[in-house]
Amino acid sequence: MCGIAGIIGHEVLTNELLSKVLHHLAQRGPDAQQWQGWDADFRPSNHNPHLALLHTRLSIRDLSVNANQPMSNNEGTIWLCYNGEVYGWEQDAEFLKQQGFIFKSYSDTEFILHAYHYWGLEGLIPRLRGMFAIAILDLRSFSLYLLRDRMGLKPIVYHHSHKGFAFASTVRTLLPWLPKEAKDFSSISIDAYLAHRYIPAPHTLLQGVKRLENGHYLRYDLKQQTLTQHCYWQIQPSKQNALSTTVLDEAIQLRTVADRPVGLFLSGGVDSSVLAQRLASLGFSNIQAFTARFLDSYLDESKRAEQLANHLNMPQVSIDIPTKIEGDFSRIVADLDEPFADPSSFPLWYLSKAATQSVKVVLNGDGGDELFAGYKRYQQHMRSAWRGEWRLPLPKIKSIQRKGISKIWNEIALSWVDAYSLRFSGFNIGQRIALQPDLIIQPHYWRIPSAISNTIDTLLAIDQQNYLPEYILRKADLMTMAHGLEGRSPLLDHYFVQTVIGLSAQKRFTQPPKKALVNLSSFPEALNPILQKKYGFNPPLDSWLHNDLSFNTATCAKSLAELTNQQISFQQVQLLLNRYYAGEQHLAEQVLQLYILNESLLQFRDLV
């Protein structure tokens, strides 16, 4: 797991500028930081080049310098800059050795490099099993390829303009080089953040920066300076219609391979509990579990996790999540890169900070809810599936109220698919109109699958293109990498995903949800997670807002209006804050969302 960046400029890139870019990536790769440059004629140059690949390394496999990046073939015609982890490549590597390729390391990085050299891009992609953001510079064809993994575990953002082309793991990494106009805040992206709590791909906070969608790759022509985008993968359901321990155990075992200590995030919920049980069944006794503990909270699940770990003889430690976060709020917002308002980001940041003291790899249960329809919102929205395309031709109405007639009114003016965006939203449509009176409001900013129907499969497909990669997985990547920790998600192994997608509805969508997953494990009745109430990963939000973060109250409304050039209304923000602090506690997550937006915009303004 690492940080990557690359710049192809029409002007000289100073060594000072490249050092600034590396600085933004440093925490993603604390073990090595280096770059490789070329002049305008594509000759190697490490002083004020025109083209550069930059890399910061978190060493996981082959800890030697032989696995450092950027990495090239012997001829120096193919270069690789890569973030992620690819699994199960060793057999293909043996084949490549038989073809005469010499491996100087035993890293997946060198495998990808040689595999591209031998099979080309189309032959490489099917051999990539895992998570990845890959940049391949091929000086033979004067091409730069950028690939993002199938499920979207690893990020890539990019900019293309008259100044050149650049990419990076995070938006902030690009700031030292971006042209001035590209740094302007996007009004659409600010509204998208208000709507979804995150900014869905391909949008980013900045006007001139885009995010590559999962399952896609870019090709940049260094000679013609043109950019093309290609979709290389769509989920193909398996024909087995059966889920066995074989495919899950393989996905788990592949993700335990590392030259650094491996742990597990164990919450007490279904997904991580199944992983813990399977690890124990497979004989892994040296994997330590880490659990977030919320003191004085009825939502705390740490006792369940402790009981399960004891039953499985798994080493486990509970990490107390601080009740005071004022001193860390700015740092956590910065580590989130862009405005991002999942309250569980905060405990995940603290959990990662503690875990990285003992391990450098953690397995997690991400993806289970999106595969097996575990969220309550799926069933809630299916109750109105009869609507389909039916809607009432009503004008949108504004209201700062989170609940009430305006929310219902605006929902029935949408199709059933569009209205799904309201099942998990930041601010509803009426609130967004009130907050941004001069902006034309879209229902949502999601990518919608080409084939839709009024079925639960459509809702899951929407989440697999938006909510999963850009909310769940972006949070996991940013909060673990903030502390030089690699997260791995066995449930999102694409072979396991395709097996689940291929199940009949009767086997896949059960009540309670995830029976098919739990049936792959064995639990005593008292510890069976499917029989326990699900709480989620919920911090003490009201306490934080009334104490540590209350300093925002006096300045947030005015600041947001100024930072967004009056796109956001001072009066409406102040009204919402007043209502929350007067006792309307259901507004807590929206207040946090505004505080995060304000802090993030302030940080970007100061960085620019």
Side-chain angles (χ1 to χ4, degrees), residues 477-520:
D477 172 76
L478 293 169
M479 295 296 88
T480 53
M481 292 305 291
H483 302 288
L485 181 67
E486 175 172 296
R488 298 180 178 179
S489 305
L491 299 183
L492 292 176
D493 180 277
H494 74 278
Y495 289 109
F496 182 75
V497 168
Q498 291 179 156
T499 302
V500 173
I501 299 294
L503 296 175
S504 65
Q506 182 180 11
K507 290 182 178 180
R508 185 181 176 196
F509 306 127
T510 60
Q511 288 300 323
K514 305 184 187 177
K515 281 186 179 180
L517 183 59
V518 172
N519 287 343
L520 300 180

Side-chain angles (χ1 to χ4, degrees), residues 127-197:
R127 292 174 168 83
L128 298 177
R129 182 176 187 176
M131 54 184 181
F132 49 84
I134 299 173
I136 299 172
L137 177 64
D138 191 337
L139 294 175
R140 302 171 305 174
S141 61
F142 298 101
S143 299
L144 174 71
Y145 294 101
L146 295 179
L147 297 81
R148 189 179 181 195
D149 65 74
R150 298 169 182 85
M151 303 307 297
L153 290 101
K154 296 288 101 187
I156 301 181
V157 297
Y158 64 96
H159 167 84
H160 181 214
S161 72
H162 62 87
K163 190 176 182 181
F165 179 78
F167 68 89
S169 297
T170 64
V171 175
R172 296 183 187 216
T173 302
L174 295 176
L175 287 174
W177 177 81
L178 284 177
K180 184 177 183 300
E181 64 274 12
K183 300 177 184 179
D184 292 340
F185 298 144
S186 164
S187 59
I188 287 176
S189 297
I190 288 172
D191 184 46
Y193 167 77
L194 293 176
H196 301 294
R197 307 191 201 183

